[in-house]
Amino acid sequence: MQSAGELLLCHGYDRFSVDEVAVRAGVAKTTLYRRWPTKDHLVVAVVARMQDEVPVAYRNDVRADLTRYLNAIVDGLHRMRLAGRPSASGDTSAGVVAEVAAAAARHADIGAAVHAMFLRRNALVLRMLEQARDAGELEKGVDPEVVFDQLAGALYYRLLITGAPIDAAYVDRLVASVLRGASG
Amino acid sequence: MQSAGELLLCHGYDRFSVDEVAVRAGVAKTTLYRRWPTKDHLVVAVVARMQDEVPVAYRNDVRADLTRYLNAIVDGLHRMRLAGRPSASGDTSAGVVAEVAAAAARHADIGAAVHAMFLRRNALVLRMLEQARDAGELEKGVDPEVVFDQLAGALYYRLLITGAPIDAAYVDRLVASVLRGASG
């Protein structure tokens, strides 16, 4: 898995291959293909492992806790966006995130794996939001699932759809807007 | 453009081709290729035209106005997700939205076209949110750009990343959560 992660971030999605991972890890190709039948299966496993490297914890300050977690997501998205890109190139290889989303839409089994990965991971954040609610930091009627969709969704929307920048300043604006609400 | 839209929604992204659009529209292929050098350029033009069919207007009830607009987005996303899918099939062709996002990440010129399309379109919604703020329906310090990212982002996140359903009931939860805010 470590070899796979290094190759994915180094080469990007297009030039990533199960065969090369096998060479780098010094294992038989058949061993890898038995567990990950296609490149997409292996990419999803690599992304899941990257996600698991980021801790999710409620430390009694929901604004700081969300800000920390969203900045970690932004870091991960940037690493996957830049993966495989020749420096100073205009027309670049695809971002890994966009390719994973396309593969998830294209193949039902990849879609199921991607959805399960995010369901498992996001459950940790929902638990954090529930703890903040129980501690009185969030309002009683808060909808944790929707609140997290607003936060993570805004980041992915800018990355995949509008191309607008996502950085620490944007994360601050986003967390402030979600916590405050828009109603006058 | 009408032929192109019909073919895209009927056949889906994979089986959509500039050549077939030319046949259906009764024009020379070269005419189309001069204006849209690749299939992706034509797909972006079709999506932009679909977006323009949905009116954006502030009618002095920001909750109702946002709900109406987001439900129109959801309808469009479902049409593009189902495009080209054989009915009752598990493993299906890619959703058009996911393919457009992947193409935008893969080719700088397609990315620029996609970003410009959303920038132009979303400017109308930002104007609507500013009008609602000026009318006192949204708070003075509201961040229209971020608020719209929270709304649209949540929909695209569920469509492209988590696979969670998006329907009218979800739109209601989303609008309520964004307007109310999460803070206790």
Side-chain angles (χ1 to χ4, degrees):
Chain A
M1 286 305 300
Q2 190 173 337
S3 303
E6 287 162 7
L7 282 174
L8 182 63
L9 288 177
C10 170
H11 285 183
Y13 181 89
D14 280 355
R15 291 186 293 127
F16 179 78
S17 77
V18 178
D19 287 5
E20 204 174 341
V21 173
V23 170
R24 181 136 171 171
V27 298
K29 292 178 194 180
T30 49
T31 307
L32 295 188
Y33 280 111
R34 219 166 10 238
R35 179 132 178 216
W36 298 288
T38 71
K39 156 178 165 168
D40 285 324
H41 290 87
L42 186 51
V43 168
V44 172
V46 168
V47 172
R49 190 166 178 272
M50 285 175 63
Q51 288 184 336
D52 286 341
E53 286 169 5
V54 178
V56 187
Y58 179 53
R59 300 185 195 167
N60 301 306
D61 182 344
V62 73
R63 183 179 303 264
D65 296 336
L66 284 175
T67 300
R68 189 185 320 110
Y69 184 62
L70 293 178
N71 276 313
I73 292 182
V74 168
D75 287 345
L77 292 176
H78 282 310
R79 285 166 72 200
M80 288 191 281
R81 175 155 68 171
L82 297 175
R85 297 203 164 182
S87 54
S89 159
D91 197 28
T92 59
S93 74
V96 174
V97 180
E99 295 296 349
V100 168
R106 211 175 283 140
H107 310 289
D109 61 335
I110 301 296
V114 168
H115 300 159
M117 166 172 76
F118 279 92
L119 189 67
R120 184 179 63 79
R121 183 72 190 163
N122 291 351
L124 302 177
V125 191
L126 297 189
R127 178 80 195 106
M128 189 182 102
L129 292 171
E130 287 162 3
Q131 288 174 298
R133 179 195 59 199
D134 295 346
E137 277 209 286
L138 297 182
E139 65 152 294
K140 279 202 181 352
V142 75
D143 192 334
E145 183 185 351
V146 176
V147 166
F148 186 65
D149 287 346
Q150 292 171 52
L151 293 164
L155 301 180
Y156 281 84
Y157 183 64
R158 290 169 78 93
L159 178 75
L160 293 173
I161 305 293
T162 69
I166 45 175
D167 53 21
Y170 180 75
V171 167
D172 287 345
R173 284 169 65 195
L174 177 60
V175 172
S177 180
V178 168
L179 290 181
R180 183 181 58 212
S183 287
Chain B
M1 286 305 300
Q2 191 173 338
S3 303
E6 288 161 6
L7 282 174
L8 182 63
L9 288 178
C10 169
H11 285 182
Y13 182 88
D14 280 354
R15 290 185 295 127
F16 179 79
S17 77
V18 177
D19 288 4
E20 203 174 344
V21 172
V23 170
R24 180 137 173 170
V27 299
K29 292 179 194 179
T30 49
T31 306
L32 295 188
Y33 280 111
R34 218 164 13 236
R35 178 131 179 217
W36 298 286
T38 71
K39 156 177 165 167
D40 284 324
H41 290 87
L42 186 50
V43 168
V44 172
V46 168
V47 173
R49 191 166 179 273
M50 284 176 62
Q51 288 184 336
D52 285 341
E53 286 167 6
V54 178
V56 186
Y58 178 52
R59 300 185 194 166
N60 302 306
D61 182 343
V62 72
R63 183 179 302 264
D65 297 337
L66 285 175
T67 300
R68 188 185 321 108
Y69 184 62
L70 293 178
N71 276 314
I73 293 181
V74 168
D75 286 347
L77 292 176
H78 282 311
R79 285 167 73 200
M80 288 190 283
R81 174 155 67 171
L82 296 175
R85 296 203 165 182
S87 55
S89 160
D91 199 28
T92 59
S93 74
V96 173
V97 180
E99 296 295 347
V100 168
R106 211 176 283 140
H107 310 291
D109 61 334
I110 300 297
V114 169
H115 301 159
M117 166 172 77
F118 279 92
L119 190 67
R120 183 179 64 79
R121 182 73 190 163
N122 291 351
L124 302 177
V125 191
L126 297 189
R127 178 78 194 108
M128 189 183 102
L129 292 171
E130 287 163 3
Q131 289 175 297
R133 179 196 58 201
D134 296 346
E137 277 209 286
L138 297 182
E139 65 152 293
K140 278 200 181 359
V142 77
D143 193 335
E145 184 186 349
V146 175
V147 166
F148 186 66
D149 288 345
Q150 292 168 229
L151 292 164
L155 301 180
Y156 281 85
Y157 182 65
R158 290 169 78 93
L159 178 75
L160 292 173
I161 304 293
T162 69
I166 45 176
D167 53 21
Y170 180 75
V171 167
D172 286 345
R173 284 168 65 194
L174 177 60
V175 172
S177 179
V178 168
L179 291 180
R180 183 182 56 212
S183 287

